[in-house]
Amino acid sequence: MSGGFRPGRAPALLPEVATPSPRIATRSLVHRNPFATVSAVHADFGSFAKDYYVVDFGPRAGIVAVNEGRVLLTAQYRFLLDRAAWEIPGGRVDDGESPEQTARRECLEETGFSCDDLHPLVTYRPGLDNVENLTSVFYSERVKEHRPFQPDPAEVLSLAWIPLEDCVSLILEQRIVDALTISAVLAYRCVVARRGKDHGRPAPRS
Amino acid sequence: MSGGFRPGRAPALLPEVATPSPRIATRSLVHRNPFATVSAVHADFGSFAKDYYVVDFGPRAGIVAVNEGRVLLTAQYRFLLDRAAWEIPGGRVDDGESPEQTARRECLEETGFSCDDLHPLVTYRPGLDNVENLTSVFYSERVKEHRPFQPDPAEVLSLAWIPLEDCVSLILEQRIVDALTISAVLAYRCVVARRGKDHGRPAPRS
């Protein structure tokens, strides 16, 4: 792994905020299934108290794999849409794996494409109180076919290489609705725009 | 509500994908807490079967409230970070509310600022198989102080108006980590960039 985003100016400032200091009174497991646990937390802040229910899916990782300005998307059947959705490759971080290893492995497993060089892109959480699912996204611009893609009705149905600006349009038209893909593609779009500006050369055509 | 993103060219194309057609054999509630339910689903696709566990938080909405190129952010204590996080206003869609009404109400309740004109920005799902939490994001560039902001240790601790490009930097530096805020700010950044391009005038300074 090398590179990644390097800000061309001083870090942006956020105001300092004095935060309340909770004393956690209880934390108990209230549900477990093969993909997640749910814990009930009672947090005592002194002048007030709050109850949280935390769904823990564990960490996951994804990758924006780019070739000549086109982004690699996979189509999988998704239960909550009841149709195929177009998404970047990604999945759960296995025990002992780094998020970077996961991103690399998922891309290879799902698409047959290997990524030479990974750059950190964005890290996010689906929820800050109730969903533990730390998501690390990388990008790679050195992507090669390692083995031919094999469609699998139970996993990836199809692949597509979509120009970056078309991916942005599909997001704004609500035809890509996956949070991972949206965060990843829009962050990559910003990195490309800033790189073009910082280096005095145009962003890659896409 | 008016306006919103209007693509300046033909819609981007995604390949058609023939999807498997599942017959849902069973769906049963396996956990309920004050914020979410968990259902176990066994889906039979014919040649294979899959088990899903769907955590349903219901829908939510958020808003990018903008004034002179600065984005309104709130600071709240967040349990999974164990510190205050900077986020756009937003929250759960109440029964009988539209997502637009929620975005408007949450902004007013959390910050004291009212939004005159709302535009749809991006709609996403935190998960496509396992988390039901449809999230609708709007933006408003007509924001007015309706009542003075009152900090509340149990809710919003502080407000800040952060220039749009600084928000993007904070996201790429992983100092804003909230999926809602990241998707919203990056999508708004793309809308501003395209508006500047489409109308032959520069994007607002931000």
Side-chain angles (χ1 to χ4, degrees):
Chain A
M1 188 161 65
S2 69
F5 172 71
R6 295 282 175 272
R9 55 180 179 166
L13 290 179
L14 280 171
E16 287 293 322
V17 183
T19 53
S21 176
R23 177 175 58 82
I24 293 172
T26 60
R27 177 167 189 147
S28 55
L29 186 73
V30 294
H31 172 73
R32 178 192 295 275
N33 66 53
F35 305 106
T37 61
V38 183
S39 301
V41 178
H42 181 77
D44 181 357
F45 291 83
S47 62
F48 64 95
K50 276 199 174 184
D51 289 310
Y52 299 95
Y53 287 81
V54 180
V55 185
D56 190 347
F57 290 99
R60 65 174 176 161
I63 186 159
V64 180
V66 184
N67 191 15
E68 296 186 352
R70 289 170 184 264
V71 177
L72 178 57
L73 298 182
T74 65
Q76 294 190 49
Y77 172 83
R78 292 302 190 183
F79 177 68
L80 296 177
L81 300 176
D82 193 25
R83 58 171 171 80
W86 288 98
E87 300 159 55
I88 62 166
R92 284 191 292 173
V93 176
D94 285 344
D95 285 345
E97 238 181 4
S98 69
E100 186 192 345
Q101 288 169 330
T102 304
R104 218 181 266 280
R105 173 180 58 72
E106 289 281 351
C107 188
L108 189 60
E109 287 177 5
E110 292 185 352
T111 72
F113 284 87
S114 62
C115 298
D116 254 16
D117 202 16
L118 262 62
H119 308 273
L121 178 57
V122 71
T123 300
Y124 73 86
R125 292 165 175 274
L128 303 181
D129 278 342
N130 54 10
V131 180
E132 191 71 288
N133 190 211
L134 184 68
T135 303
S136 305
V137 188
F138 303 85
Y139 71 91
S140 175
E141 294 167 334
R142 295 171 61 186
V143 182
K144 282 188 300 216
E145 190 171 41
H146 182 79
R147 56 162 178 76
F149 169 68
Q150 293 289 346
D152 176 349
E155 300 292 340
V156 177
L157 301 164
S158 185
L159 298 186
W161 289 93
I162 305 292
L164 177 57
E165 286 303 324
D166 286 352
C167 289
V168 174
S169 297
L170 290 162
I171 289 167
L172 295 175
E173 292 161 17
Q174 301 182 13
R175 290 163 65 213
I176 289 178
V177 293
D178 168 48
L180 169 61
T181 304
I182 291 173
S183 306
V185 165
L186 296 181
Y188 180 69
R189 170 71 181 71
C190 286
V191 166
V192 167
R194 290 187 167 195
R195 185 167 53 191
K197 197 178 292 180
D198 290 355
H199 293 189
R201 54 183 165 79
R205 191 202 158 281
S206 54
Chain B
M1 187 163 66
S2 70
F5 173 72
R6 296 282 176 273
R9 54 180 180 165
L13 291 178
L14 280 171
E16 289 292 323
V17 183
T19 53
S21 178
R23 178 175 57 84
I24 294 173
T26 61
R27 177 167 190 149
S28 55
L29 186 74
V30 294
H31 171 72
R32 179 193 295 274
N33 66 51
F35 305 105
T37 60
V38 183
S39 301
V41 177
H42 181 77
D44 181 356
F45 292 82
S47 61
F48 63 96
K50 277 200 174 186
D51 289 309
Y52 299 95
Y53 287 82
V54 180
V55 184
D56 189 347
F57 291 99
R60 64 173 176 160
I63 186 158
V64 180
V66 184
N67 191 16
E68 294 187 353
R70 290 171 184 264
V71 176
L72 178 57
L73 298 183
T74 66
Q76 294 190 49
Y77 173 83
R78 291 303 191 182
F79 177 69
L80 295 176
L81 300 175
D82 194 24
R83 59 171 171 79
W86 288 98
E87 300 159 54
I88 63 166
R92 283 190 292 172
V93 175
D94 286 343
D95 285 345
E97 238 180 6
S98 70
E100 186 192 346
Q101 288 168 330
T102 304
R104 217 180 268 278
R105 173 180 58 73
E106 289 282 350
C107 189
L108 188 60
E109 287 176 3
E110 293 184 352
T111 72
F113 283 88
S114 63
C115 297
D116 254 16
D117 202 17
L118 262 63
H119 307 273
L121 178 57
V122 70
T123 299
Y124 72 87
R125 292 166 176 275
L128 302 181
D129 278 342
N130 56 8
V131 180
E132 190 71 286
N133 189 211
L134 185 68
T135 302
S136 305
V137 188
F138 302 85
Y139 72 91
S140 174
E141 294 166 334
R142 294 171 63 187
V143 183
K144 283 188 300 214
E145 190 172 40
H146 182 78
R147 57 162 177 74
F149 170 66
Q150 293 288 347
D152 176 349
E155 299 292 339
V156 178
L157 301 164
S158 186
L159 298 186
W161 289 92
I162 305 293
L164 177 58
E165 284 304 323
D166 286 353
C167 289
V168 173
S169 296
L170 290 162
I171 289 167
L172 295 175
E173 292 161 15
Q174 302 183 13
R175 291 163 66 213
I176 289 177
V177 294
D178 168 49
L180 170 60
T181 305
I182 292 174
S183 306
V185 166
L186 296 180
Y188 180 68
R189 170 72 180 73
C190 286
V191 166
V192 168
R194 290 188 166 193
R195 187 167 49 189
K197 196 179 292 179
D198 288 357
H199 293 188
R201 54 183 164 78
R205 191 200 156 280
S206 52

PDB file of all heavy atoms in Angstrom, chain B residues 36-55:
ATOM      1  N   ALA B  36     -35.135  -1.127  16.703  1.00  0.00           N
ATOM      2  CA  ALA B  36     -35.011  -1.990  15.523  1.00  0.00           C
ATOM      3  C   ALA B  36     -35.654  -3.349  15.753  1.00  0.00           C
ATOM      4  O   ALA B  36     -35.859  -3.770  16.906  1.00  0.00           O
ATOM      5  CB  ALA B  36     -33.526  -2.181  15.165  1.00  0.00           C
ATOM      6  N   THR B  37     -35.969  -4.016  14.641  1.00  0.00           N
ATOM      7  CA  THR B  37     -36.359  -5.427  14.699  1.00  0.00           C
ATOM      8  C   THR B  37     -35.355  -6.232  13.878  1.00  0.00           C
ATOM      9  O   THR B  37     -34.691  -5.691  12.984  1.00  0.00           O
ATOM     10  CB  THR B  37     -37.759  -5.664  14.098  1.00  0.00           C
ATOM     11  OG1 THR B  37     -37.732  -5.255  12.723  1.00  0.00           O
ATOM     12  CG2 THR B  37     -38.837  -4.890  14.849  1.00  0.00           C
ATOM     13  N   VAL B  38     -35.229  -7.518  14.194  1.00  0.00           N
ATOM     14  CA  VAL B  38     -34.406  -8.421  13.389  1.00  0.00           C
ATOM     15  C   VAL B  38     -35.293  -9.571  12.918  1.00  0.00           C
ATOM     16  O   VAL B  38     -35.962 -10.209  13.745  1.00  0.00           O
ATOM     17  CB  VAL B  38     -33.198  -8.981  14.173  1.00  0.00           C
ATOM     18  CG1 VAL B  38     -32.335  -9.862  13.265  1.00  0.00           C
ATOM     19  CG2 VAL B  38     -32.364  -7.860  14.795  1.00  0.00           C
ATOM     20  N   SER B  39     -35.310  -9.806  11.600  1.00  0.00           N
ATOM     21  CA  SER B  39     -36.069 -10.921  11.035  1.00  0.00           C
ATOM     22  C   SER B  39     -35.125 -11.918  10.385  1.00  0.00           C
ATOM     23  O   SER B  39     -34.142 -11.526   9.756  1.00  0.00           O
ATOM     24  CB  SER B  39     -37.040 -10.425   9.951  1.00  0.00           C
ATOM     25  OG  SER B  39     -37.928  -9.485  10.470  1.00  0.00           O
ATOM     26  N   ALA B  40     -35.429 -13.184  10.538  1.00  0.00           N
ATOM     27  CA  ALA B  40     -34.696 -14.247   9.838  1.00  0.00           C
ATOM     28  C   ALA B  40     -35.496 -14.630   8.604  1.00  0.00           C
ATOM     29  O   ALA B  40     -36.710 -14.843   8.687  1.00  0.00           O
ATOM     30  CB  ALA B  40     -34.522 -15.451  10.750  1.00  0.00           C
ATOM     31  N   VAL B  41     -34.816 -14.680   7.471  1.00  0.00           N
ATOM     32  CA  VAL B  41     -35.479 -14.995   6.200  1.00  0.00           C
ATOM     33  C   VAL B  41     -34.760 -16.176   5.559  1.00  0.00           C
ATOM     34  O   VAL B  41     -33.525 -16.172   5.458  1.00  0.00           O
ATOM     35  CB  VAL B  41     -35.427 -13.786   5.236  1.00  0.00           C
ATOM     36  CG1 VAL B  41     -36.057 -14.136   3.894  1.00  0.00           C
ATOM     37  CG2 VAL B  41     -36.085 -12.564   5.855  1.00  0.00           C
ATOM     38  N   HIS B  42     -35.512 -17.161   5.160  1.00  0.00           N
ATOM     39  CA  HIS B  42     -34.958 -18.252   4.359  1.00  0.00           C
ATOM     40  C   HIS B  42     -35.510 -18.110   2.952  1.00  0.00           C
ATOM     41  O   HIS B  42     -36.732 -18.169   2.755  1.00  0.00           O
ATOM     42  CB  HIS B  42     -35.322 -19.607   4.959  1.00  0.00           C
ATOM     43  CG  HIS B  42     -34.743 -20.754   4.167  1.00  0.00           C
ATOM     44  ND1 HIS B  42     -33.426 -21.115   4.255  1.00  0.00           N
ATOM     45  CD2 HIS B  42     -35.315 -21.582   3.264  1.00  0.00           C
ATOM     46  CE1 HIS B  42     -33.190 -22.122   3.427  1.00  0.00           C
ATOM     47  NE2 HIS B  42     -34.334 -22.432   2.820  1.00  0.00           N
ATOM     48  N   ALA B  43     -34.622 -17.841   1.994  1.00  0.00           N
ATOM     49  CA  ALA B  43     -35.050 -17.591   0.612  1.00  0.00           C
ATOM     50  C   ALA B  43     -34.604 -18.742  -0.273  1.00  0.00           C
ATOM     51  O   ALA B  43     -33.421 -19.079  -0.330  1.00  0.00           O
ATOM     52  CB  ALA B  43     -34.472 -16.275   0.108  1.00  0.00           C
ATOM     53  N   ASP B  44     -35.554 -19.294  -0.983  1.00  0.00           N
ATOM     54  CA  ASP B  44     -35.313 -20.455  -1.835  1.00  0.00           C
ATOM     55  C   ASP B  44     -35.268 -19.980  -3.288  1.00  0.00           C
ATOM     56  O   ASP B  44     -36.254 -19.453  -3.803  1.00  0.00           O
ATOM     57  CB  ASP B  44     -36.456 -21.454  -1.629  1.00  0.00           C
ATOM     58  CG  ASP B  44     -36.268 -22.705  -2.450  1.00  0.00           C
ATOM     59  OD1 ASP B  44     -35.300 -22.779  -3.245  1.00  0.00           O
ATOM     60  OD2 ASP B  44     -37.097 -23.619  -2.300  1.00  0.00           O
ATOM     61  N   PHE B  45     -34.096 -20.135  -3.920  1.00  0.00           N
ATOM     62  CA  PHE B  45     -33.918 -19.677  -5.298  1.00  0.00           C
ATOM     63  C   PHE B  45     -34.042 -20.824  -6.303  1.00  0.00           C
ATOM     64  O   PHE B  45     -33.730 -20.661  -7.469  1.00  0.00           O
ATOM     65  CB  PHE B  45     -32.552 -19.005  -5.463  1.00  0.00           C
ATOM     66  CG  PHE B  45     -32.407 -17.686  -4.735  1.00  0.00           C
ATOM     67  CD1 PHE B  45     -32.100 -17.656  -3.387  1.00  0.00           C
ATOM     68  CD2 PHE B  45     -32.573 -16.486  -5.395  1.00  0.00           C
ATOM     69  CE1 PHE B  45     -31.955 -16.448  -2.707  1.00  0.00           C
ATOM     70  CE2 PHE B  45     -32.440 -15.277  -4.734  1.00  0.00           C
ATOM     71  CZ  PHE B  45     -32.139 -15.259  -3.385  1.00  0.00           C
ATOM     72  N   GLY B  46     -34.406 -22.019  -5.837  1.00  0.00           N
ATOM     73  CA  GLY B  46     -34.496 -23.158  -6.762  1.00  0.00           C
ATOM     74  C   GLY B  46     -33.216 -23.970  -6.730  1.00  0.00           C
ATOM     75  O   GLY B  46     -33.114 -24.954  -6.006  1.00  0.00           O
ATOM     76  N   SER B  47     -32.184 -23.483  -7.455  1.00  0.00           N
ATOM     77  CA  SER B  47     -30.925 -24.235  -7.514  1.00  0.00           C
ATOM     78  C   SER B  47     -30.063 -24.022  -6.273  1.00  0.00           C
ATOM     79  O   SER B  47     -29.064 -24.717  -6.074  1.00  0.00           O
ATOM     80  CB  SER B  47     -30.134 -23.837  -8.766  1.00  0.00           C
ATOM     81  OG  SER B  47     -29.819 -22.460  -8.727  1.00  0.00           O
ATOM     82  N   PHE B  48     -30.431 -23.023  -5.454  1.00  0.00           N
ATOM     83  CA  PHE B  48     -29.715 -22.800  -4.194  1.00  0.00           C
ATOM     84  C   PHE B  48     -30.645 -22.055  -3.235  1.00  0.00           C
ATOM     85  O   PHE B  48     -31.731 -21.593  -3.634  1.00  0.00           O
ATOM     86  CB  PHE B  48     -28.425 -22.006  -4.411  1.00  0.00           C
ATOM     87  CG  PHE B  48     -28.646 -20.608  -4.943  1.00  0.00           C
ATOM     88  CD1 PHE B  48     -28.692 -19.520  -4.085  1.00  0.00           C
ATOM     89  CD2 PHE B  48     -28.840 -20.382  -6.310  1.00  0.00           C
ATOM     90  CE1 PHE B  48     -28.916 -18.243  -4.563  1.00  0.00           C
ATOM     91  CE2 PHE B  48     -29.063 -19.102  -6.794  1.00  0.00           C
ATOM     92  CZ  PHE B  48     -29.102 -18.028  -5.917  1.00  0.00           C
ATOM     93  N   ALA B  49     -30.231 -21.946  -1.965  1.00  0.00           N
ATOM     94  CA  ALA B  49     -31.023 -21.227  -0.962  1.00  0.00           C
ATOM     95  C   ALA B  49     -30.098 -20.341  -0.156  1.00  0.00           C
ATOM     96  O   ALA B  49     -28.887 -20.591  -0.079  1.00  0.00           O
ATOM     97  CB  ALA B  49     -31.750 -22.209  -0.056  1.00  0.00           C
ATOM     98  N   LYS B  50     -30.651 -19.262   0.423  1.00  0.00           N
ATOM     99  CA  LYS B  50     -29.850 -18.369   1.250  1.00  0.00           C
ATOM    100  C   LYS B  50     -30.632 -17.958   2.487  1.00  0.00           C
ATOM    101  O   LYS B  50     -31.855 -17.797   2.434  1.00  0.00           O
ATOM    102  CB  LYS B  50     -29.481 -17.092   0.469  1.00  0.00           C
ATOM    103  CG  LYS B  50     -28.278 -17.237  -0.444  1.00  0.00           C
ATOM    104  CD  LYS B  50     -27.681 -15.877  -0.794  1.00  0.00           C
ATOM    105  CE  LYS B  50     -26.391 -16.032  -1.580  1.00  0.00           C
ATOM    106  NZ  LYS B  50     -25.714 -14.753  -1.806  1.00  0.00           N
ATOM    107  N   ASP B  51     -29.895 -17.769   3.588  1.00  0.00           N
ATOM    108  CA  ASP B  51     -30.498 -17.235   4.801  1.00  0.00           C
ATOM    109  C   ASP B  51     -30.071 -15.787   4.970  1.00  0.00           C
ATOM    110  O   ASP B  51     -28.887 -15.456   4.833  1.00  0.00           O
ATOM    111  CB  ASP B  51     -30.064 -18.055   6.022  1.00  0.00           C
ATOM    112  CG  ASP B  51     -30.711 -19.420   6.030  1.00  0.00           C
ATOM    113  OD1 ASP B  51     -31.943 -19.481   5.887  1.00  0.00           O
ATOM    114  OD2 ASP B  51     -29.977 -20.425   6.158  1.00  0.00           O
ATOM    115  N   TYR B  52     -31.044 -14.920   5.232  1.00  0.00           N
ATOM    116  CA  TYR B  52     -30.774 -13.507   5.504  1.00  0.00           C
ATOM    117  C   TYR B  52     -31.267 -13.179   6.918  1.00  0.00           C
ATOM    118  O   TYR B  52     -32.258 -13.750   7.376  1.00  0.00           O
ATOM    119  CB  TYR B  52     -31.531 -12.612   4.518  1.00  0.00           C
ATOM    120  CG  TYR B  52     -31.157 -12.806   3.065  1.00  0.00           C
ATOM    121  CD1 TYR B  52     -31.885 -13.660   2.244  1.00  0.00           C
ATOM    122  CD2 TYR B  52     -30.086 -12.120   2.510  1.00  0.00           C
ATOM    123  CE1 TYR B  52     -31.548 -13.820   0.911  1.00  0.00           C
ATOM    124  CE2 TYR B  52     -29.748 -12.280   1.176  1.00  0.00           C
ATOM    125  CZ  TYR B  52     -30.480 -13.138   0.381  1.00  0.00           C
ATOM    126  OH  TYR B  52     -30.158 -13.306  -0.940  1.00  0.00           O
ATOM    127  N   TYR B  53     -30.576 -12.257   7.562  1.00  0.00           N
ATOM    128  CA  TYR B  53     -31.066 -11.674   8.813  1.00  0.00           C
ATOM    129  C   TYR B  53     -31.156 -10.176   8.588  1.00  0.00           C
ATOM    130  O   TYR B  53     -30.139  -9.524   8.366  1.00  0.00           O
ATOM    131  CB  TYR B  53     -30.125 -12.006   9.971  1.00  0.00           C
ATOM    132  CG  TYR B  53     -30.215 -13.450  10.398  1.00  0.00           C
ATOM    133  CD1 TYR B  53     -29.519 -14.442   9.703  1.00  0.00           C
ATOM    134  CD2 TYR B  53     -31.010 -13.834  11.474  1.00  0.00           C
ATOM    135  CE1 TYR B  53     -29.619 -15.774  10.062  1.00  0.00           C
ATOM    136  CE2 TYR B  53     -31.117 -15.161  11.842  1.00  0.00           C
ATOM    137  CZ  TYR B  53     -30.421 -16.127  11.140  1.00  0.00           C
ATOM    138  OH  TYR B  53     -30.526 -17.440  11.500  1.00  0.00           O
ATOM    139  N   VAL B  54     -32.365  -9.655   8.610  1.00  0.00           N
ATOM    140  CA  VAL B  54     -32.599  -8.256   8.254  1.00  0.00           C
ATOM    141  C   VAL B  54     -32.863  -7.432   9.522  1.00  0.00           C
ATOM    142  O   VAL B  54     -33.823  -7.692  10.245  1.00  0.00           O
ATOM    143  CB  VAL B  54     -33.801  -8.116   7.299  1.00  0.00           C
ATOM    144  CG1 VAL B  54     -34.016  -6.643   6.942  1.00  0.00           C
ATOM    145  CG2 VAL B  54     -33.585  -8.958   6.049  1.00  0.00           C
ATOM    146  N   VAL B  55     -31.988  -6.450   9.766  1.00  0.00           N
ATOM    147  CA  VAL B  55     -32.187  -5.505  10.864  1.00  0.00           C
ATOM    148  C   VAL B  55     -32.948  -4.317  10.299  1.00  0.00           C
ATOM    149  O   VAL B  55     -32.471  -3.659   9.371  1.00  0.00           O
ATOM    150  CB  VAL B  55     -30.836  -5.028  11.447  1.00  0.00           C
ATOM    151  CG1 VAL B  55     -31.074  -4.132  12.657  1.00  0.00           C
ATOM    152  CG2 VAL B  55     -29.943  -6.213  11.807  1.00  0.00           C
TER     153      VAL B  55
END
